[in-house]
């Protein structure tokens, strides 16, 4: 199981991520009860149904899912999980930047998938605030070090929109 | 030269600590090889034929004497006492130990140097013209903006894991000397209606699929360059191909969409960032620009220089016009015949540092042609500097000539090579060792790459040599007519490839055709443009069976 890091601590996780099994489609899959993170396709196909039976809704975005396609729906989501199938696939950083900076998404933004110590700093800067650290990695060490590895940054980003040059003495 | 402030220093020191910890975790098995690879690559470390290779950044080619002394020291202490200047403003060490790299980075940080993002699929070192600030054809000094862009690229959180590497070059002169047409983003500084800005070129690149970039914006005010580049990068990061490393560069995306559609996407993206916090402030420009003000030039009268032939030759080839009267820029050649082009020993680096201190305000630059430039030398010092450069074997008068070859490390060092490149360079240098002959041939760029990745810029050599693999044997394909500069274009393949042994003859034949056909005052390229490739082709393949004749010969055998 990945370890969820939130507010600088390992945290419990009430959310279940809906995965489609072989033969299931977004239209046919049974919608489980509870706190569920729905893949974008399921959300798009079953939006009314989901809204009618779920109070707390989560969304899962894959690297090739376009934020623009779901931009009007963001108020429905308590959590949006952005998947990094491989940590070297950097599309999720743009997804997060867009969600936060352009569409002003305020809910939990969770990095899931191949989430590793050395990317946490960047993830935090683009606006992730929860991190499903890959199974088997040292969460305590990550909490101690990974988010503060650099004490400042040159560019503007979600957590500090002002680039260093606007803050320089 | 730019001097770090507190933020710059803090970030670079934190980087050293970070990498030290990454190496420790990798050694301890906490990071797998696959997890560690991109981390070490973004610190310039990649594993090659013999050992790890390590690239140290020389941002936009500028260095001071203390820095090159540190490079000399590092090469001596952690490597074999030499390094290799690449075509992209880096120093490459061929034999360091991974375990030593944190220590090396710590030593480099002391003199404000690093290896940040010198390889890997990220924003790379920004390159520019080696004569920045002193060129007589300069429109605007590119260095303040290059430094501002360096900072912006450093640890950019959104663009640390791009589909592929991303290279930016800036030119601030009339004649482009930064190969801007063949970079992921190429920038030409210019002035329009009293406003300073850039022509922005996108989607150029050499490598396996060489493509000349296309203008995405004819004029962009300088203040907007970061937000505009972010728009380009965001489109690329989201839509660049990630399924095939050979098709992952931005040039492939630009070609697939077409420049019009690509431009539309970028402009739509930019509409959001335009005028935002990434807009460069005048205050920041001024802060950085004060680091690049002109040194205290003396006003000096004309000097009489010795008529000594060897010295005069060096003056002609290795010194360059300067915008201040009484000064010249000097190129110290790293193209001594018989040595790997771009290689420099620790002792030579120290000699360079001394020369810089004594004659050029303690600063130097490296060029994409893999040479060193002392940019601000008094004419009255030229003879003295020449004598010392000769003693240090840094005075080969072949800048811009046939033996001033650009060459990649090739099969001697590189795992990706199809063929060796250094021995070909050395064999050609040996063949054209006669200086009278070399000078008679005149200006010509010969560039060699050991494979289609094109690290030696072979596509833009007037003569390009490319290592190819033919049934596990090393062969060389020759192109003619490529060029850098404002009219940059790719060379044309002359025909079937040659063996290593044939190469000096092939080059000699090409040169002969030029010499026989040239009009007075025509350089190689001019003659080539006038007479076309056929006369060269005919001479080179004369007596060599090819095509049908070759098949017939084979069948007969
Ligand atoms: C020996 C280790 C090296 C390796 C493994 C290596 C690898 C590569 C690869 C794979 C590419 C192709 C990238 C692409 O087309 O997407 C490339 C391009 C390039 N490399 Fe290297 N390289 C090495 C050394 C060098 C050196 C020493 C130089 C400078 C002398 C250099 C400068 C360049 C340049 C200028 C390009 C082509 C331009 C472009 O990216 O479009 N590389 N390199
Ligand atoms: S051109 Fe090929 S052989 Fe030469 S350094 Fe680049 S990858 Fe290696």
């Amino acid at each position: 199981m990945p370890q969820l890091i939130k507010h600088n601590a390992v945290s419990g996780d009430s959310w279940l991520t809906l995965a489609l099994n072989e033969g299931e489609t977004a239209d046919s899959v049974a919608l489980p009860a509870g706190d569920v993170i729905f893949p974008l396709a399921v959300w798009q196909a079953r939006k009314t149904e989901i809204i009618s039976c779920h109070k707390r809704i989560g969304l899962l975005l894959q690297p090739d899912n376009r934020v623009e396609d779901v931009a009007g729906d963001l108020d429905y989501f308590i959590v949006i999980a952005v998947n990094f199938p491989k940590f070297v696939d950097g599309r999720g950083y743009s997804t997060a930047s867009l969600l936060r900076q352009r569409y002003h998404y305020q809910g939990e933004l969770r990095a899931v998938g191949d989430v590793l110590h050395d990317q946490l700093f960047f993830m935090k800067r683009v606006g992730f605030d929860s991190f499903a650290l890959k199974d088997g990695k040292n969460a305590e060490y990550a909490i101690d070090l990974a988010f503060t590895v650099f004490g400042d940054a040159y560019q503007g980003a979600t957590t500090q929109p002002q680039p260093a040059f606007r803050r320089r003495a | 030269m730019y001097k770090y402030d507190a933020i710059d220093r803090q970030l670079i020191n934190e980087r050293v600590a970070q990498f030290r910890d990454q190496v420790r975790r990798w050694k301890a098995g906490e990071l797998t090889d696959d997890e560690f690879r991109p981390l070490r690559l973004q610190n310039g470390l990649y594993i090659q034929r013999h050992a790890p290779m390590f690239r140290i950044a020389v941002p936009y080619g500028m260095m001071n004497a203390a820095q090159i002394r540190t490079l000399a020291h590092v090469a001596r202490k952690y490597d074999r006492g030499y390094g290799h200047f690449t075509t992209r403003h880096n120093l490459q060490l061929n034999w360091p130990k991974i375990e030593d790299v944190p220590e090396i980075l710590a030593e480099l940080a002391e003199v404000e140097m690093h290896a940040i993002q010198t390889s890997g699929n990220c924003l790379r070192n920004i390159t520019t013209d080696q004569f920045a600030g002193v060129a007589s054809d300069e429109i605007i000094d590119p260095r303040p903006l290059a430094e501002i862009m360096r900072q912006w690229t450093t640890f950019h959180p959104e663009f640390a894991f791009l589909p592929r590497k991303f290279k930016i070059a800036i030119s601030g002169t009339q004649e482009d000397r930064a190969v801007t047409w063949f970079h992921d983003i190429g920038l030409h500084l210019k002035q329009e209606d009293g406003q300073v800005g850039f022509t922005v070129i996108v989607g150029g690149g050499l490598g396996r699929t060489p493509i000349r970039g296309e203008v995405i914006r004819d004029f962009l005010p300088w203040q907007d360059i970061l937000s505009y580049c972010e728009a380009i990068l965001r489109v690329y990061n989201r839509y660049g191909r990630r399924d095939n490393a050979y098709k992952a560069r931005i040039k492939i995306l630009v070609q697939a969409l077409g420049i019009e559609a690509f431009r539309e996407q970028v402009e739509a993206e930019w509409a959001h960032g335009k005028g935002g916090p990434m807009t460069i402030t005048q205050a920041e420009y001024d802060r950085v620009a004060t680091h690049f003000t002109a040194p205290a030039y003396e006003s000096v009268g004309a000097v009489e220089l010795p008529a000594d032939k060897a010295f005069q030759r060096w003056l002609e080839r290795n010194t360059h016009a300067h915008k201040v009267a009484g000064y010249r820029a000097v190129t110290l050649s790293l193209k001594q015949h018989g040595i790997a082009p771009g290689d420099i020993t620790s002792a030579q680096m120290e000699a360079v540092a001394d020369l810089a201190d004594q004659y050029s305000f303690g600063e130097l630059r490296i060029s994409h042609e893999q040479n060193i430039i002392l940019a601000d030398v008094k004419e009255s010092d030229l003879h003295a500097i020449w004598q010392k450069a000769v003693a240090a074997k840094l005075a080969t008068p072949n800048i811009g000539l046939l033996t001033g070859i650009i060459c990649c490390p090739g099969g001697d060092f590189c795992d990706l090579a199809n063929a060796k490149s250094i021995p070909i360079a050395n064999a050609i240098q040996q063949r054209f060792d006669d200086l009278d002959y070399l000078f008679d041939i005149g200006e010509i760029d010969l560039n060699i790459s050991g494979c289609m990745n094109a690290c030696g810029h072979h596509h833009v050599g007037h003569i390009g040599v490319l290592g190819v693999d033919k049934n596990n044997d090393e062969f060389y394909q020759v192109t003619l007519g490529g060029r850098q500069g404002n009219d940059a274009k790719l060379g044309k393949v002359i025909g079937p490839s040659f063996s290593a042994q044939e190469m000096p003859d092939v080059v000699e034949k090409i040169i002969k055709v030029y010499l026989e056909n040239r009009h007075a005052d025509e350089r190689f390229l001019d003659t080539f443009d006038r007479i076309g490739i056929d006369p060269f082709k005919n001479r080179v393949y004369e007596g060599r069976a090819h095509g049908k004749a070759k098949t017939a010969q084979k069948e007969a055998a």
Side-chain angles (χ1 to χ4, degrees):
Chain A
M1 279 285 283
Q3 313 148 77
L4 190 67
I5 300 176
K6 229 169 129 171
H7 307 304
N8 282 323
V10 176
S11 146
D13 186 11
S14 65
W15 292 91
L16 169 91
T17 302
L18 175 63
L20 297 188
N21 292 315
E22 184 114 9
E24 286 175 342
T25 66
D27 291 311
S28 72
V29 66
L31 302 182
D35 291 352
V36 181
I37 296 176
F38 295 99
L40 177 64
V42 176
W43 168 256
Q44 285 172 328
R46 313 274 288 278
K47 187 168 155 180
T48 335
E49 204 180 328
I50 293 172
I51 295 167
S52 70
C53 61
H54 284 78
K55 277 218 178 59
R56 290 159 50 82
I57 304 169
L59 177 73
L60 175 66
L61 291 176
Q62 298 296 342
D64 59 353
N65 291 157
R66 285 165 34 93
V67 180
E68 290 84 343
D69 295 342
V70 73
D73 293 345
L74 297 182
D75 286 344
Y76 289 109
F77 307 120
I78 291 188
V79 54
I80 295 180
V82 175
N83 187 29
F84 290 82
K86 290 201 189 86
F87 76 93
V88 290
D89 184 337
R91 285 176 285 185
Y93 296 94
S94 288
T95 303
S97 299
L98 284 167
L99 281 170
R100 292 292 198 208
Q101 295 166 28
R102 183 160 310 159
Y103 298 108
H104 309 290
Y105 170 68
Q106 303 289 330
E108 177 181 336
L109 188 55
R110 182 183 292 191
V112 303
D114 200 11
V115 175
L116 302 169
H117 180 111
D118 294 283
Q119 285 74 53
L120 294 174
F121 176 78
F122 291 145
M123 288 175 170
K124 183 176 169 192
R125 286 203 70 216
V126 296
F128 288 102
D129 55 4
S130 75
F131 312 86
L133 187 71
K134 193 174 174 179
D135 195 24
K137 299 295 177 183
N138 187 338
E140 297 305 325
Y141 195 64
I143 291 167
D144 278 352
L145 239 73
F147 296 100
T148 48
V149 59
F150 296 104
D152 207 331
Y154 287 121
Q155 319 74 6
T158 302
T159 50
Q160 171 51 282
Q162 298 298 313
F165 64 74
R166 288 180 183 271
R167 297 179 281 112
R168 265 181 157 127
Chain B
M1 230 188 103
Y2 186 72
K3 283 253 152 282
Y4 282 10
D5 75 354
I7 296 181
D8 302 316
R9 214 165 300 118
Q10 176 190 346
L11 290 177
I12 203 180
N13 289 333
E14 287 169 337
R15 176 59 150 200
V16 176
Q18 180 194 39
F19 191 61
R20 205 186 288 283
D21 184 53
Q22 288 167 343
V23 172
R24 182 194 65 70
R25 280 184 281 134
W26 171 64
K27 290 249 129 193
E30 294 167 33
L31 277 172
T32 66
D33 286 348
D34 282 348
E35 290 165 354
F36 182 55
R37 184 183 307 114
L39 307 179
R40 66 167 163 73
L41 284 173
Q42 300 214 357
N43 270 295
L45 247 179
Y46 49 111
I47 315 280
Q48 285 298 313
R49 191 143 288 197
H50 308 285
M53 297 176 86
F54 179 53
R55 265 187 210 150
I56 299 165
V58 184
Y60 41 93
M62 291 288 301
M63 260 197 283
N64 61 34
Q67 291 177 323
I68 197 167
R69 282 200 183 94
T70 298
L71 292 181
H73 159 77
V74 160
R76 190 179 282 127
K77 180 163 168 194
Y78 301 100
D79 205 300
R80 301 190 179 173
Y82 72 94
H84 173 79
F85 280 116
T86 76
T87 45
R88 294 210 77 263
H89 295 347
N90 293 309
L91 181 83
Q92 184 155 300
L93 297 179
N94 290 334
W95 318 88
K97 287 213 253 331
I98 294 188
E99 294 74 9
D100 286 339
V101 170
E103 252 344 278
I104 301 178
L105 291 177
E107 297 214 29
L108 293 173
E110 299 270 316
V111 290
E112 307 185 351
M113 294 191 94
H114 58 76
I116 295 164
Q117 293 163 214
T118 51
S119 65
N121 296 331
C122 54
L123 289 160
R124 302 286 192 89
N125 208 9
I126 289 170
T127 54
T128 182
D129 174 12
Q130 64 268 31
F131 300 116
V134 306
S136 47
D137 67 340
E138 186 160 279
I139 306 162
I140 291 138
D141 186 344
R143 293 172 301 169
L145 286 161
E147 172 59 28
I148 289 169
M149 292 189 76
R150 176 193 77 80
Q151 298 187 12
W152 161 76
T153 62
T154 302
F155 313 140
H156 198 299
E158 189 177 337
F159 306 126
F161 296 96
L162 294 169
R164 201 74 181 85
K165 56 171 92 167
F166 203 93
K167 303 176 176 178
I168 301 176
I170 312 180
S171 163
T173 47
Q174 235 111 52
E175 180 62 23
D176 169 28
R177 283 182 289 269
V179 205
T180 51
W181 287 103
F182 291 100
H183 276 74
D184 298 285
I185 293 180
L187 300 172
H188 288 183
L189 273 161
K190 65 173 179 185
Q191 209 145 13
E192 230 177 67
D193 304 329
Q195 212 191 0
V196 173
F198 297 97
T199 296
V200 183
I201 299 162
V202 71
L206 297 170
R208 171 180 306 258
T209 318
I211 292 175
R212 189 179 200 266
E214 298 188 68
V215 173
I216 181 165
R217 206 166 220 279
D218 194 53
F219 188 83
L220 180 78
W222 63 270
Q223 295 91 336
D224 293 325
I225 191 62
L226 301 182
S227 63
Y228 198 78
C229 285
E230 288 198 339
I232 293 177
L233 275 150
R234 186 172 276 173
V235 171
Y236 171 55
N237 190 41
R238 298 180 77 193
Y239 302 113
R241 283 182 64 173
R242 291 178 185 263
D243 59 325
N244 179 343
Y246 298 140
K247 299 199 184 301
R249 294 288 288 270
I250 194 172
K251 61 191 171 189
I252 304 293
L253 178 65
V254 173
Q255 293 298 311
L257 292 173
I259 185 70
E260 299 301 332
F262 183 76
R263 179 185 297 123
E264 261 170 49
Q265 289 199 21
V266 169
E267 294 280 333
E269 182 59 48
W270 188 48
H272 299 279
K274 184 179 180 180
M278 290 312 288
T279 309
I280 305 171
T281 57
Q282 186 69 44
E284 174 67 356
Y285 183 87
D286 293 344
R287 179 187 78 85
V288 176
T290 53
H291 294 278
F292 298 99
T293 47
Y297 295 117
E298 295 166 34
S299 64
V300 281
V303 287
E304 188 94 8
L305 292 169
D308 171 356
K309 186 170 176 192
F311 173 59
Q312 285 294 333
R313 274 191 168 137
W314 178 82
L315 269 188
E316 180 187 331
R317 294 315 323 174
N318 297 32
T319 75
H320 320 272
H322 195 290
K323 67 180 181 194
V324 176
Y327 282 80
R328 287 186 78 76
V330 167
T331 298
L332 299 170
S333 171
L334 300 183
K335 307 299 171 75
Q336 191 195 345
H337 294 184
I339 304 288
D343 272 16
I344 179 167
T345 65
S346 290
Q348 284 176 314
M349 290 189 233
E350 281 153 357
V352 170
D354 292 345
L355 291 177
D357 270 339
Q358 205 173 348
Y359 300 110
S360 196
F361 301 96
E363 292 186 357
L364 56 124
R365 295 100 182 279
I366 53 177
S367 66
H368 82 263
E369 288 92 352
Q370 307 171 291
N371 292 306
I372 291 178
I373 283 85
L374 299 177
D376 301 289
V377 178
K378 259 188 294 187
E379 283 176 3
S380 53
D381 287 335
L382 287 173
H383 194 257
I385 214 172
W386 171 67
Q387 287 175 313
K388 290 179 184 169
V390 168
K393 298 192 169 23
L394 293 168
T396 315
N398 58 356
I399 305 308
L401 299 182
L402 183 61
T403 62
I405 298 169
I406 295 181
C407 182
C408 81
D412 292 299
F413 297 100
C414 176
D415 271 343
L416 305 177
N418 288 325
K420 294 192 182 67
S421 51
I422 297 167
I424 301 299
N426 292 156
I428 294 168
Q429 289 172 331
Q430 195 182 9
R431 176 67 62 93
F432 294 91
D433 205 27
D434 182 286
L435 282 179
D436 287 326
Y437 189 33
L438 201 58
F439 270 67
D440 180 36
I441 297 166
E443 281 181 24
I444 185 164
D445 293 346
L446 194 155
N447 299 355
I448 308 178
S449 304
C451 77
M452 59 288 185
N453 286 321
C455 302
H457 286 181
H458 67 275
H459 299 109
V460 292
H462 304 167
I463 300 179
V465 178
L466 162 67
V468 292
D469 178 279
K470 256 203 202 160
N471 309 320
N472 286 329
D473 265 336
E474 300 189 356
F475 275 81
Y476 299 88
Q477 186 184 71
V478 173
T479 49
L480 293 181
R483 68 205 65 183
Q484 52 167 321
N486 295 350
D487 306 320
K489 62 177 171 188
L490 303 168
K492 290 194 193 125
V493 177
I494 189 169
S497 53
F498 307 96
S499 69
Q501 295 76 4
E502 288 175 294
M503 279 311 297
D505 284 340
V506 169
V507 174
E508 178 135 42
K509 284 177 189 163
I510 292 168
I511 296 300
K512 284 264 159 63
V513 173
Y514 157 61
L515 293 176
E516 289 162 17
N517 287 279
R518 74 173 161 192
H519 294 168
D521 291 337
E522 259 185 359
R523 299 163 310 156
F524 173 82
L525 210 48
D526 304 320
T527 305
F528 174 83
D529 286 345
R530 182 171 51 78
I531 68 178
I533 200 166
D534 286 340
F536 295 93
K537 198 184 262 181
N538 294 341
R539 178 72 58 89
V540 166
Y541 293 104
E542 200 172 46
R544 242 175 87 122
H546 56 274
K548 280 196 184 127
K550 192 166 180 179
T551 324
Q553 226 174 39
K554 269 198 197 136
E555 278 164 7

Coordinates of all heavy atoms in Angstrom, one line a residue, chain A residues 110-143:
Chain A
R110 N -3.9 15.3 -5.0 CA -3.1 14.2 -4.5 C -2.3 13.6 -5.6 O -2.8 13.3 -6.7 CB -4.1 13.1 -4.0 CG -3.4 11.9 -3.4 CD -4.4 10.9 -2.9 NE -5.1 11.3 -1.8 CZ -5.9 10.5 -1.1 NH1 -6.0 9.2 -1.4 NH2 -6.6 10.9 0.0
A111 N -1.0 13.4 -5.4 CA -0.2 12.8 -6.4 C -0.2 11.3 -6.1 O 0.0 10.9 -4.9 CB 1.3 13.3 -6.3
V112 N -0.5 10.5 -7.1 CA -0.6 9.0 -6.9 C 0.2 8.3 -8.0 O 0.5 8.9 -9.0 CB -2.1 8.5 -6.9 CG1 -2.9 9.2 -5.9 CG2 -2.7 8.7 -8.3
G113 N 0.5 7.1 -7.8 CA 1.3 6.3 -8.8 C 2.7 6.2 -8.3 O 3.0 5.9 -7.2
D114 N 3.6 6.5 -9.3 CA 5.1 6.3 -9.0 C 5.6 7.6 -8.3 O 6.3 8.4 -8.9 CB 5.8 6.1 -10.3 CG 7.2 5.5 -10.2 OD1 7.5 5.0 -9.1 OD2 7.9 5.4 -11.2
V115 N 5.1 7.7 -7.1 CA 5.5 9.0 -6.3 C 6.6 8.7 -5.4 O 6.6 7.8 -4.5 CB 4.2 9.4 -5.5 CG1 4.6 10.6 -4.6 CG2 3.1 9.8 -6.5
L116 N 7.7 9.4 -5.6 CA 9.0 9.1 -5.0 C 9.5 10.3 -4.2 O 9.2 11.5 -4.6 CB 10.0 8.7 -6.0 CG 9.7 7.4 -6.8 CD1 10.6 7.2 -8.0 CD2 9.6 6.2 -5.9
H117 N 10.4 10.1 -3.3 CA 11.0 11.1 -2.4 C 11.5 12.3 -3.2 O 11.2 13.5 -2.9 CB 12.2 10.4 -1.7 CG 13.0 11.3 -0.8 ND1 12.9 11.2 0.6 CD2 13.8 12.4 -1.0 CE1 13.7 12.1 1.1 NE2 14.2 12.8 0.2
D118 N 12.3 12.1 -4.3 CA 13.0 13.2 -4.9 C 12.1 14.0 -5.8 O 12.6 15.0 -6.4 CB 14.2 12.6 -5.7 CG 15.2 12.0 -4.7 OD1 15.9 12.8 -4.0 OD2 15.2 10.8 -4.5
Q119 N 10.9 13.7 -6.0 CA 10.0 14.5 -6.8 C 9.0 15.3 -5.9 O 8.3 16.2 -6.4 CB 9.2 13.7 -7.8 CG 10.0 13.2 -9.0 CD 11.0 12.1 -8.6 OE1 10.6 11.1 -8.1 NE2 12.2 12.3 -9.0
L120 N 9.0 15.0 -4.6 CA 8.0 15.6 -3.7 C 8.1 17.2 -3.7 O 7.1 17.9 -3.6 CB 8.1 15.1 -2.3 CG 7.8 13.6 -2.2 CD1 8.1 13.0 -0.8 CD2 6.4 13.3 -2.6
F121 N 9.3 17.7 -3.7 CA 9.5 19.1 -3.6 C 8.8 19.8 -4.8 O 8.1 20.8 -4.7 CB 11.0 19.4 -3.6 CG 11.3 20.9 -3.6 CD1 11.2 21.7 -2.5 CD2 11.7 21.5 -4.8 CE1 11.5 23.0 -2.5 CE2 12.0 22.9 -4.8 CZ 11.9 23.6 -3.7
F122 N 9.1 19.2 -6.0 CA 8.5 19.8 -7.2 C 7.0 19.7 -7.2 O 6.2 20.6 -7.5 CB 9.0 19.1 -8.5 CG 10.4 19.4 -8.8 CD1 11.2 18.4 -9.3 CD2 11.0 20.6 -8.6 CE1 12.6 18.6 -9.7 CE2 12.3 20.9 -8.9 CZ 13.1 19.9 -9.4
M123 N 6.5 18.5 -6.7 CA 5.1 18.3 -6.6 C 4.4 19.3 -5.7 O 3.3 19.9 -6.0 CB 4.8 16.9 -6.2 CG 5.1 15.8 -7.2 SD 4.9 14.2 -6.6 CE 5.1 13.2 -8.1
K124 N 5.0 19.5 -4.6 CA 4.4 20.5 -3.7 C 4.4 21.9 -4.3 O 3.4 22.6 -4.2 CB 5.3 20.5 -2.4 CG 4.7 21.4 -1.3 CD 5.5 21.4 -0.1 CE 5.1 22.5 0.9 NZ 6.1 22.6 2.0
R125 N 5.4 22.2 -5.0 CA 5.5 23.6 -5.6 C 4.4 23.8 -6.6 O 3.9 24.9 -6.7 CB 6.8 23.9 -6.2 CG 7.9 24.1 -5.2 CD 9.1 24.9 -5.8 NE 8.6 26.3 -6.1 CZ 9.0 27.0 -7.1 NH1 9.8 26.5 -8.0 NH2 8.6 28.2 -7.3
V126 N 4.1 22.8 -7.4 CA 3.0 23.0 -8.4 C 1.6 22.9 -7.8 O 0.7 23.2 -8.5 CB 3.2 22.0 -9.6 CG1 4.5 22.3 -10.4 CG2 3.0 20.6 -9.2
G127 N 1.5 22.5 -6.6 CA 0.2 22.6 -5.9 C -0.3 21.3 -5.3 O -1.4 21.3 -4.8
F128 N 0.4 20.2 -5.4 CA -0.1 19.0 -4.7 C 0.0 19.3 -3.2 O 0.9 19.9 -2.7 CB 0.8 17.8 -5.0 CG 0.5 17.3 -6.4 CD1 1.4 17.6 -7.5 CD2 -0.6 16.6 -6.7 CE1 1.2 17.2 -8.8 CE2 -0.8 16.1 -8.0 CZ 0.1 16.4 -9.0
D129 N -1.0 18.7 -2.5 CA -0.9 18.8 -1.0 C -1.1 17.5 -0.3 O -1.2 17.4 0.9 CB -1.9 19.9 -0.5 CG -3.4 19.6 -0.9 OD1 -3.6 18.6 -1.6 OD2 -4.2 20.5 -0.6
S130 N -1.3 16.4 -1.1 CA -1.1 15.1 -0.5 C -0.4 14.2 -1.5 O -0.5 14.4 -2.7 CB -2.5 14.6 -0.1 OG -3.2 14.2 -1.2
F131 N 0.3 13.2 -0.9 CA 1.3 12.5 -1.7 C 1.2 11.0 -1.3 O 1.5 10.7 -0.2 CB 2.7 13.0 -1.4 CG 2.7 14.6 -1.5 CD1 2.4 15.3 -0.4 CD2 3.1 15.2 -2.7 CE1 2.4 16.7 -0.4 CE2 3.1 16.6 -2.7 CZ 2.8 17.3 -1.6
A132 N 0.8 10.2 -2.3 CA 0.7 8.8 -2.0 C 2.1 8.2 -2.3 O 2.3 7.6 -3.4 CB -0.4 8.1 -2.8
L133 N 3.0 8.3 -1.3 CA 4.4 7.8 -1.5 C 4.3 6.3 -1.8 O 3.7 5.5 -1.1 CB 5.2 8.1 -0.3 CG 6.7 7.8 -0.4 CD1 7.4 8.8 -1.3 CD2 7.4 7.8 1.0
K134 N 5.1 6.0 -2.8 CA 5.2 4.6 -3.2 C 5.5 3.6 -2.1 O 6.3 3.9 -1.2 CB 6.3 4.4 -4.3 CG 6.2 3.2 -5.1 CD 7.2 3.2 -6.2 CE 7.3 1.9 -7.0 NZ 8.3 2.0 -8.1
D135 N 4.8 2.5 -2.2 CA 5.0 1.4 -1.2 C 6.5 1.1 -1.0 O 7.2 1.0 -2.0 CB 4.3 0.2 -1.7 CG 4.1 -0.9 -0.6 OD1 4.1 -0.5 0.6 OD2 3.9 -2.0 -1.0
G136 N 6.9 0.9 0.2 CA 8.3 0.5 0.5 C 9.3 1.6 0.6 O 10.4 1.4 1.0
K137 N 8.8 2.8 0.4 CA 9.7 4.0 0.6 C 9.6 4.5 2.0 O 8.5 4.4 2.6 CB 9.4 5.1 -0.5 CG 9.6 4.6 -1.9 CD 11.1 4.2 -2.2 CE 11.3 3.6 -3.6 NZ 12.7 3.2 -3.8
N138 N 10.6 5.2 2.4 CA 10.7 5.7 3.8 C 9.9 7.0 4.0 O 10.4 8.1 3.6 CB 12.1 5.9 4.2 CG 12.3 6.2 5.6 OD1 11.4 6.7 6.3 ND2 13.5 5.9 6.1
A139 N 8.7 6.9 4.5 CA 7.8 8.1 4.6 C 8.3 9.1 5.6 O 8.3 10.3 5.4 CB 6.4 7.7 4.9
E140 N 8.9 8.6 6.7 CA 9.4 9.5 7.7 C 10.5 10.4 7.2 O 10.6 11.6 7.4 CB 9.9 8.7 9.0 CG 8.9 7.8 9.7 CD 7.7 8.7 10.1 OE1 7.9 9.8 10.5 OE2 6.5 8.2 10.1
Y141 N 11.4 9.7 6.5 CA 12.5 10.4 5.9 C 12.1 11.4 4.9 O 12.6 12.6 4.9 CB 13.5 9.4 5.2 CG 14.8 9.9 4.9 CD1 15.7 10.3 5.9 CD2 15.3 10.0 3.6 CE1 17.0 10.8 5.6 CE2 16.5 10.5 3.3 CZ 17.4 10.9 4.3 OH 18.6 11.4 4.0
A142 N 11.1 11.1 4.1 CA 10.5 12.0 3.1 C 9.9 13.2 3.8 O 10.2 14.4 3.4 CB 9.5 11.3 2.2
I143 N 9.2 13.0 4.9 CA 8.6 14.1 5.6 C 9.6 15.0 6.2 O 9.5 16.2 6.1 CB 7.6 13.5 6.7 CG1 6.4 12.9 6.0 CG2 7.2 14.6 7.7 CD1 5.6 12.0 7.0

